[in-house]
Amino acid sequence: MDAVNLLDYDLEGLTAFCEQLGEKRFRATQLFRWIHQKGATDFDQMSDLAKSLRGKLQGVATLKRLPVISEHVSSDGTIKWLFDVGGGNAVESVYIPEDDRATLCISSQAGCAVGCRFCSTGHQGFSRNLTTGEILAQLWHAEHALRQRLGTTERIVSNVVMMGMGEPLQNYNALVPALKVMLDDHGYGLSRRRVTVSTSGVVPMIERLKHDCPVALAVSLHAPNDALRDELVPINKKYPIHELLDACRDYLTAAPRDFITFEYCMLDGVNDTDEHARELITLVKGRINCKFNLIPFNPFPQSGLHRSQAPRVQAFARMLADAGIVTTVRKTRGDDIDAACGQLAGEVQDRTNARDRMLRQPVEAKVAAPKPGERNRHAH
Ligand code: SAH
Ligand code: SF4
């Protein structure tokens, strides 16, 4: 029988596993803390666990880390890891340090079945779901490798965003225990507002997440009407915009924040005109408490799409802001290492092509509200 990977368990699962071994509940908590808080890689390191338990674990359990294929460190501090998940598949995580926080962007699947037109993961197709252990191994690695490097026992990662490869809500059963470990005080101890699930809009799973583990929610909207969204985010044909907005509104009753973040990838001439902005305002205004995050498109060769010009993005952002909708534009990060989230696939299945791509990890930059008098200048 294969050894059980203890990274696959949340605390409840680990407790059940320990009980099967005839161990008391508090032993599971100790073990859990050794794994996630102290980053132990070996049962022998777990000095306050009874020798007999350590002996039992050696035979039946393992802590399965993900082999690192590559690590790239940007001059701005962004770090990108490529992890081997076997079978020719790899996934990426990106660490983004900022003044007041350090965010880790992690993957939920190898590939993605949703097939968004502007996403290179989507173009690659779906390979497989990651396990809970594989989702958590990305966080485990970032947290403990960086602690070791910086010579600290202090917590490093303060925020996690599920914005790497894959659609997290199409890997729901593995996702939820992973989120629980991130939130657990005996695990990574992150607050619910500091863990964000980003989704293309898997409506029934938004409803379930609300009950099971209501963390912060980001929704990839990208279009103000169904005709265009059907084309860009094909899952819209199954769950059209009005159903998605209903699910978002309902989610807010349990969410840790009182708004939903809508992500909107700015595509030149496709979804970035004044008319699109007006339609978007009509769509959400008074219907849902939301913020917009405008993402400059990261081009890749097969997409046939182009990034909107910076002044167009600014004008679009101002229209939303003038309508009273809080809007941010992401700045790119890690340019010199091709760090990215959301379109990581190119490098995975076709590593030789990776340099041709502009994989960039964006971070938020607030759009300043226009000063009085400036308004008209920008509006035209
Ligand atoms: N599947 C989830 C989470 C992963 S994608 C989702 O779609 O939300 C994370 C974010 O990156 C999404 O908002 C997605 O729309 C965006 N994204 C994907 N490809 C991109 C690209 N080429 N340029 C900019 N953003 C992209
Ligand atoms: Fe999948 Fe998200 Fe990419 Fe769409 S944007 S293909 S849902 S990873």
Side-chain angles (χ1 to χ4, degrees), residues 105-106 108-109 112 114 116 118-121 162-169 197-201 218-222 233 263-267 295-300 330 341-344 360 362:
C105 173
I106 62 188
S108 57
Q109 299 180 314
C112 182
V114 177
C116 300
F118 50 84
C119 172
S120 79
T121 308
M162 299 299 304
M163 292 186 187
M165 295 172 68
E167 169 48 59
L169 295 187
V197 167
S198 174
T199 182
S200 56
V219 171
S220 297
L221 193 59
H222 306 309
V233 187
E263 292 162 284
Y264 198 95
C265 182
M266 297 293 287
L267 303 165
I295 314 172
F297 171 58
N298 295 310
F300 58 101
R330 282 189 192 174
C341 275
Q343 61 152 125
L344 308 168
R360 283 176 185 174

Side-chain angles (χ1 to χ4, degrees), residues 80-124:
K80 180 184 72 171
W81 290 280
L82 187 64
F83 294 102
D84 187 353
V85 293
N89 291 310
V91 297
E92 275 192 8
S93 311
V94 184
Y95 169 77
I96 310 123
E98 289 170 85
D99 291 344
D100 58 342
R101 64 186 141 171
T103 304
L104 187 70
C105 173
I106 62 188
S107 297
S108 57
Q109 299 180 314
C112 182
V114 177
C116 300
R117 259 189 64 193
F118 50 84
C119 172
S120 79
T121 308
H123 277 245
Q124 178 198 0

Side-chain angles (χ1 to χ4, degrees), residues 95-344:
Y95 169 77
I96 310 123
E98 289 170 85
D99 291 344
D100 58 342
R101 64 186 141 171
T103 304
L104 187 70
C105 173
I106 62 188
S107 297
S108 57
Q109 299 180 314
C112 182
V114 177
C116 300
R117 259 189 64 193
F118 50 84
C119 172
S120 79
T121 308
H123 277 245
Q124 178 198 0
F126 177 68
S127 292
R128 71 168 175 87
N129 279 329
L130 298 189
T131 61
T132 299
E134 287 168 334
I135 295 172
L136 285 171
Q138 300 168 62
L139 173 56
W140 189 95
H141 178 83
E143 179 68 35
H144 297 293
L146 291 177
R147 272 193 213 176
Q148 211 168 32
R149 195 170 302 172
L150 301 172
T152 178
T153 51
E154 300 280 306
R155 188 161 84 182
I156 304 276
V157 174
S158 66
N159 295 59
V160 172
V161 293
M162 299 299 304
M163 292 186 187
M165 295 172 68
E167 169 48 59
L169 295 187
Q170 287 189 336
N171 185 14
Y172 191 79
N173 291 344
L175 174 75
V176 169
L179 296 176
K180 288 192 170 155
V181 175
M182 294 172 199
L183 303 182
D184 202 307
D185 283 341
H186 299 295
Y188 296 87
L190 301 177
S191 78
R192 291 196 290 136
R193 14 183 339 126
R194 289 176 174 272
V195 175
T196 301
V197 167
S198 174
T199 182
S200 56
V202 192
V203 164
M205 294 300 153
I206 294 177
E207 283 159 14
R208 280 184 63 186
L209 190 67
K210 177 190 150 196
H211 295 289
D212 295 339
C213 198
V215 293
L217 189 68
V219 171
S220 297
L221 193 59
H222 306 309
N225 61 61
D226 283 322
L228 183 56
R229 197 164 189 270
D230 281 353
E231 265 182 54
L232 296 176
V233 187
I235 201 169
N236 194 71
K237 291 181 201 143
K238 197 159 182 195
Y239 307 114
I241 293 177
H242 73 273
E243 283 183 30
L244 180 57
L245 292 189
D246 283 349
C248 288
R249 207 175 303 109
D250 187 50
Y251 193 85
L252 283 177
T253 58
R257 297 183 184 272
D258 61 4
F259 59 89
I260 299 286
T261 303
F262 287 129
E263 292 162 284
Y264 198 95
C265 182
M266 297 293 287
L267 303 165
D268 185 30
V270 175
N271 65 356
D272 68 344
T273 66
D274 283 358
E275 182 50 36
H276 291 123
R278 277 192 285 272
E279 224 183 324
L280 212 46
I281 292 163
T282 313
L283 181 70
V284 300
K285 198 84 208 282
R287 286 181 68 194
I288 179 146
N289 224 358
C290 62
K291 290 190 180 175
F292 269 83
N293 204 349
L294 305 182
I295 314 172
F297 171 58
N298 295 310
F300 58 101
Q302 313 92 307
S303 72
L305 297 163
H306 303 280
R307 175 185 289 194
S308 306
Q309 302 287 313
R312 178 88 295 264
V313 177
Q314 287 306 318
F316 197 94
R318 281 189 194 282
M319 284 180 74
L320 297 185
D322 284 350
I325 302 167
V326 176
T327 304
T328 55
V329 178
R330 282 189 192 174
K331 262 194 193 155
T332 55
R333 281 285 296 264
D335 290 2
D336 54 333
I337 59 160
D338 286 352
C341 275
Q343 61 152 125
L344 308 168

